[in-house]
Amino acid sequence: MRKKPTIKHKIVLLGDIAVGKTSIFQRFIEKDMSKDHNPTIGCCYNFINIEEKEYTKRIELWDTAGQERFHSLAALYYKNAQAALVVYDVTNKNSLTQAQRWIDELNEKANPNILIVLAGNKVDLEDERVITEEQGKSFAEQYGLLFMEVSALQNTNIKELFDQIVEKLPTKEALDKLRGGGGEGDPTSGSTNLRDTKTSEEEEGCVGSCII
């Protein structure tokens, strides 16, 4: 029996330091989160498989560092990404300014077909909120982005956020069209031993630089 083809989708998390990117990463990948973790250095990578009727979706998630000294490395991680999740902290106005910086950079340098999604995290801290949901929604509409508010701490809207992203990612037919057809040599064709496969970023030490 022929194995189902595997479609690989790369999603990169971007945003200022301490907005909760790693917590969102943990909630989605590990279904849990640690309240005590160090800032990410470089980036952290993991994936999950979603089984569809005719194919498997491999969702590769890249959690990038928010510190300014790592900003120049980000292009290594959002290159060839199908989606970028830009995160800000609803209790920190400057984090939305930094989100705008990331969005401008993605529009200028990333894959022109990239899906950009804006997420306002930490809605559990309602008493400390300084960015309203309407402000976040208006900002997203200005750039034509998908938008959702979430709480990684309370696991609010994390599944719904990624459901929206995955639903918008191209199917195998769309990928084949974008890449000029499938067939042998197409990275979306056939089955892959996921544990034995390394991307160029992994070989460059991205995974080895992961600190959570």
Side-chain angles (χ1 to χ4, degrees):
M1 183 177 178
R2 185 177 179 181
K3 293 182 179 179
K4 293 189 295 185
T6 297
I7 303 172
K8 300 175 184 178
H9 291 301
K10 179 178 179 180
I11 304 173
V12 61
L13 276 72
L14 300 167
D16 203 9
I17 187 171
V19 295
K21 299 186 299 298
T22 298
S23 296
I24 291 172
F25 175 94
Q26 290 177 334
R27 279 293 188 194
F28 178 63
I29 295 291
E30 303 169 16
K31 313 303 180 188
D32 197 4
M33 63 161 280
S34 170
K35 293 182 181 179
D36 301 312
H37 56 76
N38 296 316
T40 301
I41 295 177
C43 80
C44 187
Y45 161 87
N46 211 330
F47 68 87
I48 64 170
N49 288 332
I50 299 175
E51 297 297 333
E52 303 286 357
K53 184 177 180 180
E54 298 181 354
Y55 53 86
T56 299
K57 284 185 177 180
R58 170 174 162 167
I59 308 301
E60 301 178 343
L61 203 59
W62 300 78
D63 174 25
T64 64
Q67 299 100 313
E68 182 63 29
R69 63 195 173 107
F70 294 115
H71 188 105
S72 62
L73 297 176
L76 291 174
Y77 310 130
Y78 64 64
K79 69 179 180 181
N80 302 322
Q82 282 76 47
L85 176 57
V86 181
V87 183
Y88 69 93
D89 174 355
V90 300
T91 71
N92 181 344
K93 283 187 176 181
N94 185 61
S95 69
L96 187 57
T97 301
Q98 292 301 314
Q100 181 174 356
R101 180 184 175 190
W102 281 115
I103 293 164
D104 289 341
E105 181 172 332
L106 289 167
N107 284 327
E108 180 182 350
K109 298 180 179 180
N111 169 10
N113 298 308
I114 194 170
L115 171 69
I116 304 176
V117 182
L118 181 68
N121 189 30
K122 304 189 184 182
V123 295
D124 50 283
L125 300 176
E126 189 61 38
D127 292 343
E128 300 176 37
R129 178 194 282 270
V130 294
I131 303 171
T132 67
E133 183 175 8
E134 283 304 314
Q135 287 172 324
K137 189 179 299 184
S138 175
F139 180 90
E141 288 174 353
Q142 177 185 343
Y143 281 89
L145 314 177
L146 290 178
F147 170 74
M148 188 173 290
E149 287 195 334
V150 302
S151 168
L153 179 65
Q154 296 181 340
N155 199 19
T156 302
N157 283 341
I158 299 298
K159 180 180 183 301
E160 291 78 3
L161 173 65
F162 283 98
D163 282 349
Q164 272 200 28
I165 295 173
V166 171
E167 183 180 346
K168 294 287 185 180
L169 293 174
T171 62
K172 183 177 188 301
E173 291 77 13
L175 280 174
D176 286 346
K177 185 176 180 181
L178 286 171
R179 294 173 177 174
E184 282 196 51
D186 186 342
T188 68
S189 298
S191 178
T192 305
N193 185 339
L194 303 182
R195 294 297 179 186
D196 292 342
T197 300
K198 289 187 178 181
T199 66
S200 59
E201 287 90 342
E202 287 178 272
E203 291 169 350
E204 290 168 6
C206 179
V207 175
S209 298
C210 172
I211 294 181
I212 297 180

